[in-house]
Each structure stands twice: as structure tokens, then as C-alpha cells.
Amino acid sequence: MTSKNKQTFVSWTRLMKSFRYASEGIKHTWANEQNFRIHSILGAIVLIASQLLQVTVFEQALLILVIGGVLGLELINTALERCVDMITKEYAIEAKVIKDVAAGAVMVFSITAVLVGITIFLPRILSLLF
């Protein structure tokens, strides 16, 4: 069976465009969403602290994973909010529910990330203090 689509397996031009579009989305979210900026800065602080406290490579990977998860969910939350705003300009309980649930997903994963951070950092901080 031959393909009617004569595109190459990998189009470097399309790949570079997709990275540029994704970067624009991240820049937009950084510029317009306070929580994304807060989570980004806290994530950077956590990664610096993990180096200073000599956290194991496995634990650092876990921290990177949960930080990336929170930031990724913030991006999805922003996209969902913009979709809802585009569909309806008036107040609708359904729109509120969609936005609230998406924000709730970010909150649940953020709490999970905090618990992971406490699990990793608390023993090290306590050993420095006592």
C-alpha cells in the first residue's frame, strides 16, 4: 500500500515551527498567568535547593517530574480557560465548572508535588538542624 502523502518521515521545518509555537504558548502563559510564574520560580528554587542539599539523582529526577507536571497542567489549564472564554462571553455555570475543575487538577498535582518535596527535603533539613 503506498501513501498518497509524499511528505518525508521527519520535516525539520515543521518540527522547528512546532517548537516555536510551543515556545510562544509558554511565553504567553508566563506573561499572563501569575500562578505559572509562581510555580516556575518555586520549581527553580526547589532544584537549586536539591543541589545544595545533595539530593540523590533519583530524587532530583522525581522533583523534575513533579515540577514539570505542575507546569504542564498550568499550561493545559490556561488553554482550557481560553477555550471556554472563546466559546462563551456570558456567565454560564457549565463554563465555571470547567474552569474550576481544570484549576482543581492543578491544585491536586501541586499538593502532590509539595508532599514529594516534603518527603525528600524534610529529613535533610531536620538533620541539619539537629
Side-chain angles (χ1 to χ4, degrees), residues 77 80-81 83-85 87-105:
N77 182 45
L80 280 170
E81 286 181 353
C83 285
V84 169
D85 291 344
I87 292 167
T88 181
K89 300 295 182 201
E90 300 115 31
Y91 177 83
I93 191 68
E94 296 85 357
K96 179 186 182 326
V97 169
I98 292 167
K99 289 181 171 190
D100 290 352
V101 170

Side-chain angles (χ1 to χ4, degrees), residues 10-26:
V10 174
S11 168
W12 295 107
T13 304
R14 286 178 55 203
L15 183 64
M16 294 310 294
K17 281 183 182 178
S18 68
F19 278 110
R20 188 171 67 242
Y21 296 147
S23 297
E24 289 172 10
I26 294 168

Side-chain angles (χ1 to χ4, degrees), residues 41-129:
I41 291 166
L42 288 175
I45 291 168
V46 165
L47 293 177
I48 291 167
S50 72
Q51 290 295 305
L52 295 174
L53 293 172
Q54 299 176 344
V55 171
T56 68
V57 173
F58 176 78
E59 290 170 326
Q60 286 184 42
L62 187 57
L63 291 169
I64 291 167
L65 186 64
V66 295
I67 290 167
V70 169
L71 296 177
L73 279 173
E74 279 288 358
L75 290 165
I76 292 169
N77 182 45
T78 299
L80 280 170
E81 286 181 353
R82 296 304 179 274
C83 285
V84 169
D85 291 344
M86 189 173 67
I87 292 167
T88 181
K89 300 295 182 201
E90 300 115 31
Y91 177 83
I93 191 68
E94 296 85 357
K96 179 186 182 326
V97 169
I98 292 167
K99 289 181 171 190
D100 290 352
V101 170
V106 176
M107 188 172 83
V108 166
F109 203 83
S110 296
I111 292 168
T112 302
V114 168
L115 293 173
V116 168
I118 289 170
T119 303
I120 292 171
F121 286 110
L122 188 60
R124 287 173 173 79
I125 292 170
L126 291 175
S127 70
L128 288 174
L129 296 175

